[in-house]
Amino acid sequence: MVDRTVAKRAMLDMPPLSAPEEQALRTVPRELFLPGLELTDVYAEQAVVTKRDQERGVALSSVSAPAIIATMLHRADIRPGHRILEIGSGGYNAALIRELTGAGGDVTSIDIDPEVVDRAGRFLDHAGYRDVHVAAADGEHGFARRAPYDRILVTAGAWDVPPAWRDQLAPGGRMVVPMRIRGLTRCLTLERAAEGHWSCVAVDMCGFVRMQGAGEHWEPMPYLNDEPDRRVGLRLEDGPSADVAALRRALAREPDTVWSGVLVQAEEPTDDQDLWIATAADEWALLTADREAIRSGLVTPTWALGTPTLLNADGTGFAYRTLRRHPTREGRWEFGAIGHGPQARATAERLCDLMAAWDRDLRGRPGPEITLHPVSKPDHRLPAGRVIDKRSTRMVLNWTATTEEEKKEEL
Ligand SMILES: C[S@@+](CC[C@H](N)C(=O)[O-])C[C@H]1O[C@@H](n2cnc3c(N)ncnc32)[C@H](O)[C@@H]1O
């Protein structure tokens, strides 16, 4: 598992793990945290769901996949003697953290679910990590009793950075947190900057179970049809105005497809494109589809769990991203957009224009500068960029900062 993680990071041009990080991964027996599972499954490149909400059909708890665990540990830059708070337990990651802090450090792992805490505590004891402190608590409030922390690692999908995390992080501390940004999830590595804001020093792809409790946040997710197992839905985070009845009629209408001329190779990561469209477009949404909706050809999105989508100006029609094998260019795929309903073609063209702008100006470059500011900061004191208002912070995504910086370097 570790060999594979190391090789994959090299292939994707990701920074190599440090020797202690690699050693920690080679030391902690993952199977002790997943009892009863076949070893091949324990060490496969996958998260293992350990608890599910049967009603909503969503995972509530899991032991995370090895690759994202390695990435988050590396981003956290944990040193011997550090005091660490992990939000979201399972035991495995806490054991890895304890390997990195050594006996002189202090590891606290909290989970909102007492059953998870109980299980993690037992597994950690059994694996010999008896000094890891586990407790049942809502991570929204951090865990003041054992603060301050040099690092806070959040292992559930957050929507915001609550004040407690800021208050409980030691000066010079660092936080690694999977964060929802207009419905997309990116793992942000955050450091405190001057003037009380957070500055993001790294952005990584990830997927996590949603944070529950006081910080829980659900966006509107209307379905556009009523066919069980063949459902198409929209996730409308940060609320573009949507006329759901009209959008349902739109799905039933003949689609209009536009091709963008933007080509990619199979498996080429293009997650920055999603973040760019989410930044640039006001009427942004994500389209979701059951497997049967795709198999039957009702929709052909690029990803079943959340494909970039634009609504038209009055929220009565939409266009979502699609992909086809390029008819003449061997080994190349082409992005396009499929529009439904009023202004289908114009909306699809606008989505293609945004993809083309990404291709021309941003592809292969560092992503946006991301900063988080106190809610009290007025617009005129925020940096330029897309402002995303949360409960406790105002997030700003600024793409021009990176290009300006490059221009200076070129000069
Ligand atoms: C992906 S699992 C954690 C994986 C774990 N760190 C490991 O070692 O693999 C996410 C956990 O976050 C927990 N969780 C969700 N919301 C929480 C909250 N508000 N506070 C603390 N834990 C929370 C869930 O109960 C779940 O067990």
Side-chain angles (χ1 to χ4, degrees):
M1 177 190 84
V2 184
D3 287 348
R4 194 181 55 223
T5 304
V6 167
K8 188 150 185 218
R9 291 179 71 84
M11 193 185 81
L12 294 175
D13 236 359
M14 295 170 80
L17 299 176
S18 70
E21 288 155 4
E22 202 179 313
Q23 187 55 40
L25 286 161
R26 291 191 191 283
T27 304
V28 178
R30 189 168 154 96
E31 67 274 22
L32 295 187
F33 300 88
L34 289 166
L37 202 67
E38 287 290 325
L39 279 183
T40 42
D41 293 328
V42 168
Y43 285 99
E45 184 46 55
Q46 59 180 10
V48 181
V49 174
T50 48
K51 195 166 180 181
R52 197 174 276 286
D53 176 344
Q54 298 299 352
E55 218 167 275
R56 275 184 165 143
V58 295
L60 289 177
S61 190
S62 63
V63 170
S64 307
I68 187 64
I69 284 188
T71 295
M72 290 177 79
L73 285 180
H74 182 71
R75 294 299 190 198
D77 187 24
I78 297 166
R79 302 295 169 91
H82 267 168
R83 298 178 61 80
I84 313 281
L85 174 65
E86 180 194 40
I87 296 176
S89 309
Y92 178 58
N93 195 42
L96 293 166
I97 294 171
R98 171 62 182 72
E99 286 289 331
L100 290 167
T101 63
D106 187 89
V107 184
T108 304
S109 178
I110 60 169
D111 201 287
I112 199 163
D113 184 337
E115 246 176 63
V116 175
V117 173
D118 179 58
R119 212 180 45 216
R122 274 187 288 114
F123 294 164
L124 281 161
D125 270 359
H126 179 56
Y129 298 95
R130 295 197 179 83
D131 57 359
V132 171
H133 187 87
V134 286
D138 184 344
E140 174 80 359
H141 312 299
F143 199 67
R145 232 186 304 154
R146 295 172 68 86
Y149 304 103
D150 298 296
R151 304 287 186 261
I152 298 178
L153 278 82
V154 182
T155 63
W159 182 72
D160 195 4
V161 174
W165 300 354
R166 178 195 61 219
D167 297 344
Q168 294 172 24
L169 196 68
R174 179 177 264 214
M175 207 166 69
V176 183
V177 48
M179 179 76 73
R180 276 225 315 289
I181 306 173
R182 305 202 91 197
L184 302 169
T185 304
R186 296 289 183 274
C187 184
L188 306 184
T189 302
L190 298 170
E191 287 182 350
R192 295 288 296 280
E195 294 180 8
H197 72 261
W198 295 93
S199 184
C200 180
V201 296
V203 180
D204 295 287
M205 271 303 277
C206 69
F208 269 92
V209 301
R210 259 173 217 258
M211 191 111 171
Q212 306 162 50
E216 186 165 338
H217 179 91
W218 288 88
E219 65 276 26
M221 295 193 280
Y223 285 119
L224 303 187
N225 61 355
D226 296 315
E227 301 170 62
D229 303 325
R230 198 172 169 256
R231 280 178 314 190
V232 174
L234 286 179
R235 290 173 42 204
L236 300 164
E237 186 148 335
D238 297 323
S241 58
D243 178 341
V244 176
L247 289 169
R248 290 170 72 98
R249 288 193 297 276
L251 177 67
R253 281 170 60 174
E254 227 11 66
D256 205 338
T257 305
V258 178
W259 294 103
S260 68
V262 177
L263 305 187
V264 283
Q265 297 185 44
E267 307 287 322
E268 184 181 332
T270 56
D271 32 280
D272 250 19
Q273 188 194 95
D274 302 26
L275 204 53
W276 157 246
I277 301 169
T279 311
D282 289 335
E283 295 85 9
W284 158 263
L286 288 159
L287 181 127
T288 60
D290 286 344
R291 195 180 309 167
E292 188 52 29
I294 297 175
R295 206 202 54 76
S296 65
L298 178 59
V299 286
T300 38
T302 50
W303 196 43
L305 299 180
T307 289
T309 299
L310 297 188
L311 303 190
N312 65 10
D314 53 8
T316 54
F318 63 98
Y320 62 91
R321 189 177 65 189
T322 190
L323 192 66
R324 68 169 172 183
R325 195 183 286 278
H326 194 269
T328 55
R329 299 280 301 277
E330 182 70 21
R332 291 285 190 281
W333 293 73
E334 183 180 17
F335 284 120
I338 298 180
H340 281 265
Q343 299 120 45
R345 191 162 190 87
T347 313
E349 280 170 353
R350 168 148 164 69
L351 185 50
C352 284
D353 287 348
L354 288 172
M355 296 184 227
W358 166 80
D359 188 39
R360 189 183 59 235
D361 301 330
L362 302 165
R363 190 172 182 172
R365 298 196 164 173
E369 185 181 272
I370 302 180
T371 48
L372 277 83
H373 304 261
V375 267
S376 55
K377 203 178 244 186
D379 285 351
H380 69 272
R381 290 194 47 227
L382 291 175
R386 157 78 54 183
V387 179
I388 305 171
D389 280 314
K390 310 266 182 178
R391 254 192 300 267
S392 305
T393 58
R394 310 192 74 190
M395 182 185 281
V396 181
L397 276 75
N398 180 354
W399 291 82
T400 52
T402 43
T403 42
E404 288 301 319
E405 200 54 38
E406 280 173 341
K407 268 187 221 150
K408 267 190 241 151
E409 272 170 27
E410 277 164 25
L411 286 177

